[in-house]
DNA sequence: GCCGTTTTCGGCCCGACTGTTTTCAGTCG
């Protein structure tokens, strides 16, 4: 059983218990377990079988037993009991912003509302406003939220998509006759949100490969099946499509499956204009047919004589030549951003007289024009990153100690790490008081004495207060290595007020970085109403750094604004905002955003060596 | 329900905001 399935079971259990009015701390324990399990590096099942699961913090006797039930029997008695007792759609009502357990219960008891559909109907019939404690505003807010939730149904964030794609691709790779598999589509382009998972496999015989996917235990229903293509609906709620190409046509198939649609369209136009692709387009053939023609042309490219391949990954390995920049992870199923293209695909661009366009740039944002002109840009790579300038420790709401975070940072090859715990106003996150902050900074200075070739930077993530101003006085910030400022309250203030708050932080001489500048939480919360252009202009004027927050549910700034910032001469910092060890690894997502924004190492603060970094931050 | 170099019970998450009130409950970060 997948970790995510177990995590979801505990989350559902917590939701239903909360609806029942169960003890707050018990619910919190289940939620925490769900979070811990989702964040584990190893399969829960393995830990369980080896008797190590009980040692994981947050997992005690009871949760261990319930997890065992899930693993052994595939279900949990307590959860099934609750599902029988209450309508199973209750959690979707509680998940709505503004509706918690109390209101969900109240709506259920007063109106019999137990699902989004039911709630929407009640709101449209103006029944909500008649209830005690609710009014017209609440009713309208409910309708708005429902619309938002509906619009994001069936869309998942990139890390989960990568994990699911990997699981499916792993099984395809073992299918008879398959010698190469890639994850393509949105995932390969590193889009923030994924609507479908696309896989491409190379094999002479498609039939047995398609059969393997059709029989996968996550597959609920086969939606489309053709000779060399299958599209299925999965347990995860996301469609998965597998295309099987003959080895000779693999490059073209991968290229076509990676997209985007506009990039492919332009690429085919480009090929036709140069007489490089068959042109039967005069009569206006459908997209698919044109793609087919292009594939037929591109498919003629064979790089190696048949039989030259010595194994499944031979093509892949051939692509990694020593003159490339170092790439840490070249697993084709879950690569890091900047992993090399397979040579068959690369060759198609070369034959068209273009440099091979990295998947992250295939969005029809002038990448073909650039590719037709000179040299490819030197885009940022994971290996360029020399440190992380925004992480949390167990001094505030992080899970790990400073030393644990430092150890992992060193293992990642970093040269520095800034510990930026929350400031005093952020109560929930156990924000540091002035005294605690200074105590922490003293400790860090001590720890640095025994660190060689590595520097722990003192820092703070200082709140930009709702009433304006910063949460710590200037003289304290002046003595801090890295001051990261960010908004955590007053999200609903109007554009002027919010922009003014952020501008004030930009103008403060002690602030170095504005973190997650727009405050969006993908799939959860819209960005607050901020005039980002003005913030970028101010950052340029005051030499301030803007963050690309790598957390996959933030990715903030996004590629659009990151590019705009760069064009204004603003440097970006790519930080993880990690609250535990594992999330230090999320740097890849921020790097992908930077690549999608066409950033190179020179545009990014934390590619700098420590002395240059300190100099730029104006530190004494 | 979990946890313990304050260890088998008692503590763990509090303050701001919102929409609804007329003094506050519910939600959220």
């Amino acid at each position: 059983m997948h970790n995510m399935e177990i995590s979801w079971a505990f989350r559902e259990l917590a939701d239903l218990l909360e609806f029942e009015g169960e003890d707050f701390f018990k619910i919190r324990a289940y939620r925490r377990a769900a979070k811990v399990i989702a964040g584990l590096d190893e399969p829960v099942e393995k830990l369980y079988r080896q008797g190590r699961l009980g040692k994981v913090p947050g997992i005690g006797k009871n949760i261990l037993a319930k997890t065992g039930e899930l693993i052994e029997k595939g279900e949990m008695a307590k959860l099934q009991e609750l599902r029988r007792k209450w309508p199973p759609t209750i959690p979707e009502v509680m998940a709505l912003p503004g509706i918690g357990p109390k209101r969900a219960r109240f709506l259920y008891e007063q109106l019999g509302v137990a699902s989004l559909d039911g709630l929407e109907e009640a709101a449209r019939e103006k029944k909500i406003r008649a209830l005690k404690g609710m009014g017209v505003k609440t009713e309208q807010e409910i309708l708005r939220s429902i619309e938002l939730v509906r619009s994001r149904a069936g869309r998942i964030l990139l890390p989960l998509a990568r994990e699911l794609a990997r699981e499916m691709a792993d099984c395809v790779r073992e299918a008879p006759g398959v010698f190469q598999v890639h994850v393509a589509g949105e995932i390969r382009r590193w889009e923030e949100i994924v609507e479908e998972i696309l896989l491409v496999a190379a094999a002479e015989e498609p039939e047995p490969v398609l059969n393997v996917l059709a029989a996968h235990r996550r597959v609920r229903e086969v939606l489309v099946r053709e000779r060399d293509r299958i599209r299925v609906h999965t347990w995860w709620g996301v469609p998965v499509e597998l295309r099987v190409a003959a080895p000779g046509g693999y490059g073209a198939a991968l290229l076509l499956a990676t997209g985007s649609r506009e990039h492919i369209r332009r690429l085919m136009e480009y090929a036709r204009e140069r007489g490089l692709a068959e042109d039967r387009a005069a009569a206006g053939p459908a997209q698919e047919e044109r793609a087919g023609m292009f594939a037929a042309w591109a498919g003629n490219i064979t790089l190696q004589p048949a039989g030259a391949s010595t194994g499944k990954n031979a093509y892949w390995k051939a692509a990694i030549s020593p003159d490339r920049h170092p790439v840490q992870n070249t697993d084709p199923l879950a690569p890091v951003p900047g992993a090399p293209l397979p040579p068959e695909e690369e060759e198609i661009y070369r034959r068209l007289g273009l440099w091979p366009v990295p998947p992250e740039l295939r969005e029809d944002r002038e990448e073909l024009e650039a590719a037709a002109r000179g040299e490819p840009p030197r885009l940022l790579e994971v290996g360029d990153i020399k440190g992380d300038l925004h992480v949390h420790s167990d001094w505030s709401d992080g899970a790990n100690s400073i030393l644990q975070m430092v150890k992992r940072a060193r293992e990642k090859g970093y040269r520095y790490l800034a510990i930026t715990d929350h400031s005093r106003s952020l109560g929930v996150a156990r924000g540091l008081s002035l005294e605690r902050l200074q105590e922490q900074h003293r400790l860090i200075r001590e720890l640095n004495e025994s660190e060689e070739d590595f520097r722990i930077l003192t820092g703070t993530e200082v709140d930009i207060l709702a009433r304006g101003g910063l949460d710590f006085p200037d003289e304290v910030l002046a003595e801090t290595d890295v001051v990261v400022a960010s908004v955590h309250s007053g999200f609903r203030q109007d554009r002027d007020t919010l922009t003014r708050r952020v501008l004030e932080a930009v103008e403060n001489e002690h602030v170095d970085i504005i973190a997650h500048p727009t405050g969006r939480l993908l799939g959860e919360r819209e960005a607050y109403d901020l005039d980002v252009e003005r913030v970028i202009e101010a950052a340029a004027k005051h030499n301030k750094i803007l963050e690309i927050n790598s957390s996959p549910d933030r990715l903030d700034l996004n590629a659009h604004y990151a590019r705009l910032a760069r064009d204004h001469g603003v440097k970006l910092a790519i930080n993880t905002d990690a609250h535990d060890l594992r999330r230090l690894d999320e740097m890849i997502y921020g790097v992908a955003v930077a690549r999608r924004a066409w950033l190179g190492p020179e545009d990014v603060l934390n590619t700098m060596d420590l002395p240059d970094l300190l100099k730029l931050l104006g530190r004494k």
Side-chain angles (χ1 to χ4, degrees), chain A residues 503 506 534-546 570:
Chain A
L503 287 179
V506 171
R534 273 184 72 192
V535 172
I536 289 173
E537 284 161 18
K541 185 173 159 201
H542 295 276
N543 267 320
K544 290 301 156 70
I545 313 292
L546 297 180
V570 174

Side-chain angles (χ1 to χ4, degrees), chain A residues 365-406:
Chain A
R365 295 193 188 121
E366 293 174 13
E367 67 275 11
L368 291 181
E369 288 80 352
R373 290 192 305 265
E375 287 295 294
R378 164 65 164 94
L379 295 181
L380 182 75
E381 295 187 1
V382 178
D384 296 321
I385 300 292
K386 297 211 172 73
D388 201 329
L389 297 174
H390 180 181
V391 309
H392 297 271
S393 75
D394 55 8
W395 282 63
S396 67
D397 59 346
N400 296 98
S401 69
I402 294 173
L403 277 178
Q404 285 172 324
M405 298 297 274
V406 167

Side-chain angles (χ1 to χ4, degrees), chain A residues 18 73 114 209 324 387 435 454 527 580 608:
Chain A
E18 196 175 27
K73 298 184 207 153
V209 186
R324 283 184 175 276
E435 294 70 30
F454 192 91
D580 59 53
M608 300 172 95

Side-chain angles (χ1 to χ4, degrees), chain A residues 270-278 294 297-298 348 351-353:
Chain A
Y270 187 89
R272 264 206 322 278
E273 282 163 12
R274 282 154 190 78
L276 291 169
E278 273 184 78
F294 180 75
W297 168 78
I348 295 173
R351 292 248 180 137
L352 290 169

Side-chain angles (χ1 to χ4, degrees), chain A residues 515-531:
Chain A
H516 43 77
T518 77
R520 71 171 179 175
L521 286 178
L522 286 166
E524 263 181 69
R525 187 176 74 207
E526 297 291 317
Y528 37 70
D529 197 3
L530 180 75
D531 189 339

Side-chain angles (χ1 to χ4, degrees), chain A residues 154-155 194-198 223 231-234 236-241:
Chain A
R155 310 167 81 203
V194 174
E195 291 182 34
E196 64 170 359
I197 291 173
L198 261 172
L223 300 169
R231 189 177 177 83
V232 298
H233 186 63
T234 58
W236 308 103
V238 183
V240 176
E241 180 164 327

Side-chain angles (χ1 to χ4, degrees), chain A residues 390-398 402 418-423 429-432 437 440 459-462 472 484 579:
Chain A
H390 180 181
V391 309
H392 297 271
S393 75
D394 55 8
W395 282 63
S396 67
D397 59 346
I402 294 173
I419 304 295
T420 53
D421 277 309
H422 290 287
S423 59
R430 304 200 308 129
L432 269 52
L437 181 81
Q440 186 191 54
T460 177
E461 179 175 11
V462 63
F472 285 137
V484 173
H579 284 68

Side-chain angles (χ1 to χ4, degrees), chain A residues 297-316:
Chain A
W297 168 78
N300 290 330
I301 297 170
T302 32
L303 291 175
Q304 302 181 28
S309 133
T310 51
K312 285 177 180 174
N313 291 322
Y315 278 135
W316 184 259

